[in-house]
Amino acid sequence: MSRKGLSRRRFLSGSLAAAAAVTVIPRMALGAGTPAPSDMITHAVIGTGGMGMGHVGYVKNDPIGKLLAVCDVDEQHLARAVKHGGCKGYKDFRDVLDRGDIDVAHVPTPPHWHGLISIAAAQAGCDVWCEKPMTRTIGEGQHVIDAVHRHGRMFRLNTWFRFHRNMYGMGCPAKPIKKLVNNGLLGWPVTMLLSPWTGFGFKLRQWSGRINDKPQPVPKHFDYDRWLGPAPYKPYTRHRTHGSFRGYWDYDGGGLGDMGQHYLDPAQYILDKDGTSPVVIEAYAPWPPHPDAVLLWGRVEMKYADGCRLILESGEWGERKTQGRPYVEGPKGKIYKGFRCDPGGLRNALRSLPDPEPMIGDFNISVKTRRPFGLDELKGHRSCTLVNLAKIAVRTGRKLRFDPVKQRFIGDEEANRFINQPMRAPWHL
Amino acid sequence: MGKTPDSCGLGWHVQAKLGRGRNTASSLHFTVSLAAPGDILAGVIDSLGRKHDRKAVSAIAQLMRSPNTIIAQSAASALGNIGGDEAAAELEAARKRSGASSKLRPVINDAYLLCADRFVKDGKNAKAQAIYEKLYSPGERKHVRSAALRGMVSVSGDRALAIVMKPLTSSDPALQAIAVSHVIDIPGEAATKAFAAQLPKVSTSCRVLLLGALARRGDKAALPQVVASLKDRTTEVRMAAAEALGKLGNASAVVPLASAAASAEGAEAKTALDSLTRLSGPNINDTIVRALKSSPAKTQVMLIKSLSARRAIAAVPALLKCAEEANKSVRTEAFKALGGLADAKALPSLVKLLCKTRGASERSAAEKAVSTVAGKIDDPQQRSVHILPALPAARGAMKASLLKVLGKCGGAKALDGNPDTRWDTAGPMRKGMWFMLDQKVEKQVGRIVLECRKSAGDYPRGYELYLSNDNNNWGKAIATGKGTSPVVTISFKPQYARFVKIVQTGESDRMYWSIHTFKIEPK
């Protein structure tokens, strides 16, 4: 075949397997100088609302990233993204994936679209950079894993607190805490507490839905039907969509959806629970929950088979049971907000403790070397499962028992129906 | 598209009515699926596919010919979910009908792969293999071929190695890259050796990927070829080899990695050094210490750095010898390592070595080592015991060094609660002089009181107060000010800290800076 006849993707996979020649160059070198066109990674951003524009920025600031397409069902969003991204705009994500020249598809849509678009992107041979929470249901997460594995794709979930940066109220990265916990300096099992008192607020009121809004006319620039996609049809109100969609169960899970995976993924990493899930989940929340609008909850407790526990407390409803307690608590020690340790000597031990296994924290390296990203589809699914378990516990209002291997609730078919929720035709997994 | 609550809910309705069982599906599928219009039909097809009802296959297969792409894609996807001989045959026929660039093609391929995977689960490997081989054809896109190759490997048993070796040894870099992604899938030492033997033969880009794959296999049988790749002419390959050795290597990798780190620069040197630090297995630290004796200076520096990072406390005697080496870089690096690794037993030797240092950078490293090691002694009164005897004989810069060290670790007299004793700077106060207190644990700090009534003029002319929890990250000054009397009280918003440091910002031509009592109060 002549060079002329090669599509962009085949060109990348063919003669430009030479792209792999830079595979182990660390990130600082990836940014050095002007990369050859052949070393560029092509991107498309599907969903260009608030976070979507953030993803456009990621690509624009990446020295080896080239933005080829943006996509949105709101013409105003799309026009803004086209202008900023300097690339072609699409209204239908399937047309973007049909291009055949996209290396990485970004999925910063509302969460009810994450699973479907990620799967379609994997089928189209794209690597996937998905916004958190990874999927709206546990079942969608399982399908994403299947699709990504079947097609040998790389997957990155977009939360980063297991890698670097200070973890909200802790004022330090997850790594030193993980070293203390995994090396038994706090004893075992340990309890982790995510609450405003430990520096992790869930913003429940900010992300609450409305229950009395009257239907409004759909703006002409907005394809509401396409925005709903797999979600059940509900009359349009402005509040259901841009910037406030998390307040409705059909699209996300309120503050749990917004902040949950940011907080729970590092917790899962610190506890070394990347391959499993809790076995008991219980929520303390107003009863009955509203069937459409996500409102308040007080506390969610999750317990693993080995006795480790995660406690989420919102501080926005019900009694405040955990105020003053530490972020991590074990039989031998505690770590408080701001990485204050009790006993104080705990921090001195850090230098002599082995570092955790290194992870790839630069998706360009994963894409080029085909080595899994540090927060890939498997780990992302497990930490998103924590979010989804908490949501289901709030919605069912009873103690749930979960089989972390089969990923099904034990003896509770009502809860199991939340794992695989039907989609509105024609959308399906 | 279903735009009303009534029409859009049909897919849900069908799914709910059919439940999880299969028995009702067959009685409903023809009537419902053929009668439903447009997008609703797509939802119905999906629901039928989820029931795995093979009687629905031919009806659904017809719908793959629909001009409505959504319906055709739903039909293909449903056939993949149903699986079995008939669904596979229909999908193969649809593949032949659709062009490689058809919008239907990715969905058909996905469904066809799903069919093959279901055959594997049912133990029908031959049928699965036939599908995988078709999907591995050169006309398919890379990810489809890769998925097909994975399937072929999974069902081929003993032939799996040969199947992967064929594309790996081809002259097509694209095929090589696909093959490398399956190197991890084939177990056994023989396979490791076979793959490793390909390292010198494959393209440069493939070599990089293959080294990564061999590292992930974790089989030390690949070591000789991986070590040899440290001398590859391409930087990327050398870095990949170094990185692989961090996971695969044993004691035999110590010298090659240290030499690689010494001969490289920047990221390449760091990769080799990181791997040297990560090496696991018996006798690694002993091997590093032995290598110190026979290695050139640059390599010695890397070996010392790795001992420091590996927290090799048993290497302290060897490091003390290195601190006497002829090469300045080796001596300096040894001092740096000793600061972290040595304990009080090594302090007399360290003080002697400090007095022999040549040059400012080496001396600074030695000072830091001595003060750090002295600081490890719990009893503050004992910290200066090994340092003071060296003071009378010291001259010039050495004396200044010892005084500096004593200033750092000799805080007892300021903290003994006795206003008749004092800590002082042994000379007129100058900008940059500092006094630090390690409280040993984090405590709330809200007020500091510096008192020097018995040396009334020795109050700090200016000060900056810093707090830290780790003696490294000090941040910005918590408080700044000027002293005007023998009691200087510094109040600020209370916070938790272990280390408290006062830095002198004023100067005096003749007055020392003295502290008779130093109080820390929570608020």
Side-chain angles (χ1 to χ4, degrees):
Chain A
M1 183 183 283
S2 71
R3 171 65 58 85
K4 196 177 175 183
L6 286 171
S7 72
R8 154 71 195 160
R9 174 158 289 284
R10 296 205 54 214
F11 185 54
L12 180 74
S13 64
S15 61
L16 293 186
V22 293
T23 49
V24 293
I25 298 179
R27 69 190 74 164
M28 59 282 247
L30 283 172
T34 305
S38 54
D39 283 338
M40 301 292 279
I41 294 175
T42 58
H43 297 252
V45 176
I46 298 168
T48 57
M51 276 315 299
M53 289 307 290
H55 282 252
V56 169
Y58 296 160
V59 183
K60 297 293 283 182
N61 293 325
D62 180 352
I64 62 164
K66 185 174 184 185
L67 188 62
L68 294 186
V70 288
C71 176
D72 204 284
V73 295
D74 185 321
E75 289 172 7
Q76 290 182 348
H77 284 188
L78 185 58
R80 178 183 62 181
V82 167
K83 185 178 176 188
H84 187 65
C87 60
K88 191 169 179 188
Y90 294 82
K91 292 180 183 174
D92 188 330
F93 72 91
R94 291 166 294 192
D95 293 335
V96 176
L97 300 177
D98 282 345
R99 286 176 57 118
D101 59 354
I102 305 296
D103 296 325
V104 178
H106 296 242
V107 191
T109 58
H112 65 288
W113 270 112
H114 287 179
L116 277 177
I117 298 177
S118 295
I119 291 166
Q123 284 178 359
C126 298
D127 294 324
V128 181
W129 185 332
C130 184
E131 194 45 63
K132 56 79 197 168
M134 181 170 147
T135 53
R136 200 183 69 86
T137 68
I138 295 169
E140 287 172 20
Q142 293 165 333
H143 278 86
V144 169
I145 291 172
D146 286 348
V148 165
H149 287 186
R150 191 177 313 128
H151 295 281
R153 298 297 88 202
M154 293 291 116
F155 184 95
R156 171 191 175 151
L157 187 74
N158 204 46
T159 177
W160 43 81
F161 293 99
R162 68 164 57 206
F163 300 103
H164 53 83
R165 296 205 195 174
N166 286 339
M167 253 201 317
Y168 294 96
M170 292 314 294
C172 72
K175 188 165 111 175
I177 303 172
K178 181 176 175 66
K179 284 169 70 168
L180 293 177
V181 171
N182 290 173
N183 286 284
L185 272 77
L186 305 183
W188 201 263
V190 299
T191 296
M192 294 189 73
L193 189 67
L194 304 169
S195 73
W197 342 120
T198 55
F200 301 88
F202 283 93
K203 306 181 185 174
L204 300 193
R205 289 179 196 278
Q206 177 186 334
W207 288 115
S208 284
R210 293 181 184 167
I211 55 179
N212 292 319
D213 273 7
K214 297 273 185 278
Q216 298 164 351
V218 179
K220 285 184 179 171
H221 56 79
F222 183 49
D223 186 342
Y224 179 53
D225 184 73
R226 183 66 59 78
W227 185 90
L228 284 173
Y233 181 87
K234 301 270 171 77
Y236 172 82
T237 67
R238 172 69 178 75
H239 196 260
R240 301 190 76 83
T241 59
H242 307 328
S244 40
F245 61 82
R246 292 193 200 280
Y248 301 88
W249 295 117
D250 287 345
Y251 323 123
D252 198 6
L256 273 169
D258 183 39
M259 304 310 292
Q261 204 161 6
H262 276 323
Y263 299 165
L264 287 163
D265 185 70
Q268 174 182 274
Y269 171 63
I270 287 167
L271 292 177
D272 218 12
K273 302 292 186 195
D274 275 333
T276 188
S277 298
V279 294
V280 179
I281 307 98
E282 191 165 18
Y284 301 88
W287 185 261
H290 194 273
D292 182 41
V294 187
L295 300 174
L296 303 180
W297 49 269
R299 194 166 61 256
V300 180
E301 297 193 12
M302 302 191 241
K303 188 176 179 183
Y304 289 90
D306 64 356
C308 284
R309 294 197 306 159
L310 287 169
I311 301 176
L312 288 58
E313 186 160 290
S314 71
E316 296 185 57
W317 182 84
E319 57 182 329
R320 298 174 174 186
K321 276 201 161 183
T322 64
Q323 196 161 4
R325 285 178 57 185
Y327 175 57
V328 195
E329 184 174 17
K332 293 199 289 190
K334 300 168 185 171
I335 301 173
Y336 289 87
K337 182 179 178 181
F339 200 28
R340 282 191 297 114
C341 297
D342 177 19
L346 277 177
R347 294 171 61 136
N348 298 342
L350 277 175
R351 280 193 67 191
S352 58
L353 297 174
D355 276 343
E357 187 80 7
M359 296 179 282
I360 295 180
D362 180 341
F363 197 45
N364 283 340
I365 292 178
S366 280
V367 170
K368 292 207 165 192
T369 65
R370 314 312 294 170
R371 287 182 297 166
F373 185 70
L375 180 48
D376 62 7
E377 67 285 355
L378 291 170
K379 294 169 186 167
H381 170 63
R382 285 293 182 176
S383 56
C384 192
T385 293
L386 295 172
V387 175
N388 283 318
L389 289 175
K391 280 161 53 182
I392 296 168
V394 168
R395 296 186 78 178
T396 53
R398 56 178 169 268
K399 185 183 270 191
L400 302 170
R401 299 188 185 282
F402 189 68
D403 181 335
V405 177
K406 294 178 182 167
Q407 299 185 45
R408 303 275 301 171
F409 292 99
I410 299 166
D412 195 330
E413 280 312 301
E414 185 195 350
N416 277 329
R417 278 199 284 278
F418 284 107
I419 290 179
N420 285 299
Q421 297 176 31
M423 291 184 168
R424 189 173 66 116
W427 304 104
H428 58 84
L429 288 170
Chain B
M1 189 70 72
K3 292 188 177 177
T4 67
D6 290 336
S7 64
C8 72
L10 187 54
W12 293 53
H13 178 74
V14 169
Q15 200 156 328
K17 288 292 178 192
L18 292 182
R20 295 177 63 79
R22 296 179 182 196
N23 54 340
T24 52
S26 57
S27 62
L28 285 172
H29 68 257
F30 288 111
T31 50
V32 177
S33 65
L34 295 178
D39 289 342
I40 304 305
L41 178 55
V44 173
I45 294 167
D46 175 53
S47 295
L48 291 168
R50 283 168 188 278
K51 303 301 156 194
H52 308 294
D53 183 358
R54 294 188 177 175
K55 290 178 184 171
V57 166
S58 61
I60 293 174
Q62 290 301 314
L63 296 170
M64 281 197 292
R65 295 174 182 271
S66 169
N68 182 330
T69 308
I70 291 172
I71 291 173
Q73 287 177 335
S74 297
S77 180
L79 289 178
N81 278 324
I82 293 170
D85 292 332
E86 194 184 349
E90 294 288 359
L91 285 166
E92 170 60 8
R95 268 185 83 241
K96 285 179 180 165
R97 284 198 304 272
S98 68
S101 59
S102 154
K103 285 192 176 185
L104 200 52
R105 188 61 168 243
V107 183
I108 293 175
N109 282 342
D110 188 58
Y112 207 28
L113 278 167
L114 203 55
C115 271
D117 292 348
R118 286 190 194 286
F119 278 136
V120 175
K121 275 187 188 165
D122 295 341
K124 298 173 180 174
N125 286 359
K127 289 182 176 178
Q129 174 126 12
I131 294 176
Y132 292 135
E133 283 174 1
K134 284 172 190 159
L135 289 169
Y136 187 60
S137 64
E140 294 297 345
R141 287 166 62 180
K142 180 187 167 188
H143 69 285
V144 175
R145 298 192 76 193
S146 181
L149 187 64
R150 172 190 54 77
M152 286 159 67
V153 168
S154 71
V155 297
S156 301
D158 295 343
R159 291 189 304 112
L161 178 58
I163 285 174
V164 174
M165 287 302 276
K166 192 174 174 188
L168 188 63
T169 54
S170 75
S171 58
D172 181 350
L175 275 181
Q176 288 180 350
I178 290 174
V180 168
S181 61
H182 301 288
V183 161
I184 190 80
D185 299 333
I186 302 170
E189 189 177 317
T192 302
K193 287 181 176 172
F195 291 132
Q198 293 304 314
L199 274 170
K201 302 171 190 169
V202 295
S203 63
T204 300
S205 55
C206 185
R207 212 173 305 154
V208 172
L209 294 175
L210 187 50
L211 283 162
L214 287 167
R216 272 179 283 158
R217 284 180 70 86
D219 186 346
K220 294 189 191 311
L223 265 178
Q225 285 84 359
V226 177
V227 168
S229 299
L230 281 174
K231 295 190 174 171
D232 195 278
R233 59 187 171 78
T234 319
T235 310
E236 291 79 11
V237 174
R238 293 196 300 272
M239 287 174 71
E243 194 172 315
L245 282 174
K247 214 165 187 183
L248 282 180
N250 53 22
S252 72
V254 164
V255 173
L257 276 172
S259 305
S263 59
E265 288 180 350
E268 186 181 351
K270 185 177 182 307
T271 303
L273 183 58
D274 285 349
S275 287
L276 184 55
T277 303
R278 282 208 308 275
L279 283 180
S280 60
N283 304 321
I284 303 285
N285 289 347
D286 291 345
T287 308
I288 296 175
V289 168
R290 277 200 302 277
L292 278 170
K293 295 170 189 165
S294 54
S295 300
K298 268 190 161 183
T299 309
Q300 277 183 296
V301 168
M302 293 300 160
L303 291 164
I304 293 169
K305 282 185 177 184
S306 75
L307 285 170
S308 176
R310 295 174 66 88
R311 308 285 306 151
I313 291 168
V316 167
L319 289 169
L320 285 168
K321 281 186 186 169
C322 289
E324 293 183 280
E325 279 279 337
N327 184 281
K328 182 183 163 191
S329 303
V330 174
R331 294 197 304 272
T332 305
E333 202 58 49
F335 279 122
K336 286 181 188 172
L338 283 163
L341 300 179
D343 60 14
K345 286 181 211 160
L347 199 51
S349 306
L350 268 173
V351 173
K352 280 182 195 167
L353 289 165
L354 168 61
C355 293
K356 292 181 188 172
T357 51
R358 289 155 272 172
S361 61
E362 182 187 350
R363 194 171 304 122
S364 169
E367 284 168 10
K368 199 168 178 184
V370 171
S371 57
T372 306
V373 173
K376 294 177 187 174
I377 300 172
D378 288 335
D379 181 358
Q381 305 299 338
Q382 297 300 313
R383 290 178 190 161
S384 56
V385 166
H386 296 290
I387 306 168
L388 284 168
L391 200 56
R395 294 284 177 273
M398 290 307 151
K399 188 155 196 155
S401 278
L402 288 171
L403 286 170
K404 210 187 280 183
V405 170
L406 283 167
K408 283 181 184 174
C409 57
K413 287 181 180 174
L415 304 167
D416 60 4
N418 181 356
D420 293 328
T421 62
R422 72 178 191 183
W423 167 88
D424 65 58
T425 50
M429 66 181 85
R430 292 277 179 266
K431 282 180 186 173
M433 289 176 162
W434 52 269
F435 178 91
M436 186 181 79
L437 180 74
D438 178 358
Q439 303 187 91
K440 293 296 176 188
V441 291
E442 291 163 21
K443 290 180 183 170
Q444 185 165 301
V445 183
R447 184 160 53 207
I448 308 282
V449 181
L450 307 173
E451 179 272 326
C452 62
R453 288 191 185 93
K454 294 283 174 87
S455 311
D458 288 1
Y459 54 84
R461 298 301 187 264
Y463 61 83
E464 286 176 348
L465 173 70
Y466 294 86
L467 301 178
S468 169
N469 285 322
D470 58 7
N471 197 12
N472 276 325
N473 299 303
W474 290 95
K476 292 181 180 172
I478 299 295
T480 59
K482 290 180 179 174
T484 55
S485 70
V487 179
V488 176
T489 303
I490 309 169
S491 298
F492 46 91
K493 189 179 172 187
Q495 51 191 280
Y496 282 85
R498 175 177 158 179
F499 297 92
V500 179
K501 187 192 252 186
I502 310 277
V503 178
Q504 176 67 256
T505 59
E507 284 191 328
S508 171
D509 290 340
R510 58 187 182 84
M511 304 305 286
Y512 286 24
W513 176 22
S514 301
I515 301 173
H516 282 246
T517 57
F518 183 97
K519 282 187 196 167
I520 298 181
E521 296 170 353
K523 56 175 102 168

